[in-house]
Amino acid sequence: MVSESFENIKALCLNKKNPELQELVTVLTANPNAAHEADDSGRTLLSHAAYRRDLYFCKHVLSANPDAVHRADSKGFFPFNWSCRGRNFAVAGMLIDLNPTATNIQDPILRQTPIHHVLFSSGIDIYDIINLLLKFDQGAIFKPDVCGWHPLHYVARFHDDPRLAKLVFDAHPEAMYRRCQRLKTPSDWANESHHNRVANFLRSQDTLRLQALTHYQDGHATTPVHYVFQHEDVSVGAIKLLLKDNPDYLEAPDSNGNYIVHLALALQGEGFHYDRTKLSVDIVALLIRDHPNSLANPDSDGNYAIHLACQKGNFDLINMLLDKSECNLSTRNSDGKLPIQLLVDCGKARLMDYQYASAFYRLFRKHPAVHDIFANEC
């Protein structure tokens, strides 16, 4: 049996008229033991508050019972899993930090993951929550539910948001060709649901892949992966599909002597939209994680990946390369420039910029010998 105060707070949480938060806090403050109780389904006040999407009240419940974040209900769902159903980014972000293992939970009957739960209906925070989930648990994106629906099926069926479709497609591009138990692909669901923008996006990625496989020798491209970089529709997902077919594409330069990593780094720059620079970061992150040897070759001007990142002043890429790969910090390009010199040339007008100063300091600390080389030439 649960206390009357627990039932009162639960009723307020489930009240569709959304009572004042202060009323919930007042009742809980007077009855803090209610935060330790659970109803017949095993759900605590934190689970109810997470589903109700009240960050303020969730914090008060946690202050009364910090262990509630690790308490699962009868289905095995933690408060984080209920926050995914409630689709509030702030609540989900707080709870996933406290209990990241909850991202692995699947519905025992429907086999839905937290990603499925978020995509099942609409909400303004869906993109941000999916992006958060992908950072904590890449494995959930590959799991279908009991009916064979992958997350990309959910996007196509319930949303007409090409930005969301691209995020999910980039994480698991093979799902574009998977059929659920009703023998429908995500493209079929997008067309049937009249989600034209998602249908057009999926069609463009399929077309780009087929064109790359059949016409890649046109122009400067020497492999299908080189070909996709010549098109506006280039995406991480399209590159993943092609590299899965043949990883050896990474070992071949184009007719200008550029390898795939150099084409990825060339996407960044002032002339491109922010999304293109982010795309550059995402592709390089993919290469570092799955194909680290692909960063071992210089371009036709003797620039390695770290040279090009410093040349553009892209601090995200500089930090990523310093953290996760072997960098040629003491190697000069064909103009005789070290990476740190290229960063100085790029950042002359930003000497007081924190990011610039941080990258400059990290380059010195990563390879102390660069300090002597650089100092002798200044």
Side-chain angles (χ1 to χ4, degrees):
M1 290 291 294
V2 297
S3 65
E4 183 179 351
S5 57
F6 176 91
E7 292 293 355
N8 290 337
I9 298 173
K10 175 183 173 182
L12 289 172
C13 282
L14 298 178
N15 188 352
K16 295 182 179 179
K17 294 183 179 180
N18 292 326
E20 291 292 332
L21 287 175
Q22 190 57 47
E23 184 178 359
L24 287 166
V25 174
T26 301
V27 178
L28 179 62
T29 303
N31 304 276
N33 288 334
H36 296 265
E37 299 180 63
D39 59 19
D40 293 339
S41 64
R43 292 172 63 183
T44 63
L45 288 181
L46 185 58
S47 293
H48 289 292
Y51 183 67
R52 189 180 184 274
R53 298 173 288 180
D54 284 332
L55 178 63
Y56 180 66
F57 185 57
C58 283
K59 289 181 177 179
H60 276 79
V61 176
L62 281 170
S63 65
N65 180 16
D67 293 333
V69 73
H70 300 290
R71 187 168 177 178
D73 60 21
S74 59
K75 289 186 175 181
F77 291 164
F78 293 96
F80 166 75
N81 302 104
W82 287 106
S83 73
C84 289
R85 292 194 170 197
R87 300 173 304 282
N88 181 280
F89 176 68
V91 175
M94 178 184 71
L95 295 178
I96 198 173
D97 282 333
L98 297 173
N99 186 15
T101 58
T103 59
N104 298 317
I105 301 300
Q106 281 185 279
D107 187 301
I109 299 175
L110 300 178
R111 307 304 299 163
Q112 292 173 325
T113 67
I115 293 179
H116 289 104
H117 291 152
V118 175
L119 293 172
F120 189 65
S121 57
S122 60
I124 60 174
D125 289 345
I126 285 181
Y127 179 91
D128 293 326
I129 297 175
I130 295 298
N131 198 25
L132 179 70
L133 284 167
L134 290 175
K135 291 178 180 177
F136 273 84
D137 180 26
Q138 284 281 350
I141 196 69
F142 305 111
K143 297 176 181 177
D145 66 13
V146 70
C147 295
W149 287 48
H150 288 268
L152 192 59
H153 288 89
Y154 278 63
V155 174
R157 178 64 180 86
F158 302 114
H159 305 276
D160 192 17
D161 183 353
R163 183 166 169 257
L164 180 62
K166 183 179 184 301
L167 178 66
V168 176
F169 170 77
D170 283 346
H172 186 205
E174 294 90 347
M176 182 169 65
Y177 302 106
R178 301 285 171 82
R179 296 184 180 275
C180 63
Q181 286 186 0
R182 297 178 64 178
L183 303 180
K184 293 184 179 181
T185 65
S187 294
D188 295 330
W189 280 120
N191 289 320
E192 184 175 305
S193 304
H194 304 290
H195 291 159
N196 296 327
R197 294 188 298 168
V198 169
N200 289 338
F201 168 75
L202 294 174
R203 189 180 306 112
S204 71
Q205 295 303 305
D206 184 44
T207 301
L208 178 60
R209 176 176 175 271
L210 293 175
Q211 288 179 343
L213 291 171
T214 56
H215 300 293
Y216 69 89
Q217 292 181 321
D218 300 343
H220 298 291
T222 52
T223 71
V225 182
H226 288 87
Y227 178 90
V228 301
F229 279 99
Q230 301 173 8
H231 292 262
E232 287 295 317
D233 293 330
V234 59
S235 68
V236 176
I239 294 170
K240 280 184 177 179
L241 286 173
L242 292 169
L243 289 179
K244 184 178 180 181
D245 292 337
N246 191 347
D248 292 340
Y249 292 153
L250 291 166
E251 304 301 324
D254 64 12
S255 59
N256 294 322
N258 293 315
Y259 290 81
I260 290 169
V261 64
H262 307 132
L263 298 179
L265 288 159
L267 291 174
Q268 58 180 323
E270 296 178 358
F272 289 105
H273 190 269
Y274 164 78
D275 285 345
R276 301 290 281 184
T277 299
K278 181 179 182 302
L279 176 63
S280 176
V281 174
D282 291 343
I283 295 174
V284 174
L286 168 69
L287 296 177
I288 290 175
R289 185 182 71 245
D290 297 341
H291 309 280
N293 293 334
S294 64
L295 279 70
N297 298 307
D299 66 6
S300 57
D301 295 322
N303 291 307
Y304 287 87
I306 190 65
H307 289 83
L308 296 174
C310 290
Q311 192 175 58
K312 295 291 187 178
N314 191 315
F315 305 112
D316 289 335
L317 282 171
I318 292 172
N319 288 324
M320 185 190 305
L321 290 167
L322 290 176
D323 287 338
K324 300 181 179 180
S325 68
E326 293 295 326
C327 296
N328 303 81
L329 297 179
S330 59
T331 303
R332 300 176 185 274
N333 63 12
S334 57
D335 293 328
K337 295 282 189 177
L338 297 167
I340 198 167
Q341 292 174 306
L342 295 172
L343 180 63
V344 171
D345 293 342
C346 169
K348 286 179 179 178
R350 298 181 293 171
L351 292 177
M352 301 304 293
D353 186 287
Y354 171 77
Q355 287 185 310
Y356 171 81
S358 176
F360 189 84
Y361 177 71
R362 288 202 66 193
L363 286 169
F364 269 140
R365 289 293 301 271
K366 189 76 173 180
H367 199 297
V370 173
H371 180 280
D372 298 330
I373 297 173
F374 185 65
N376 291 335
E377 298 183 9
C378 291

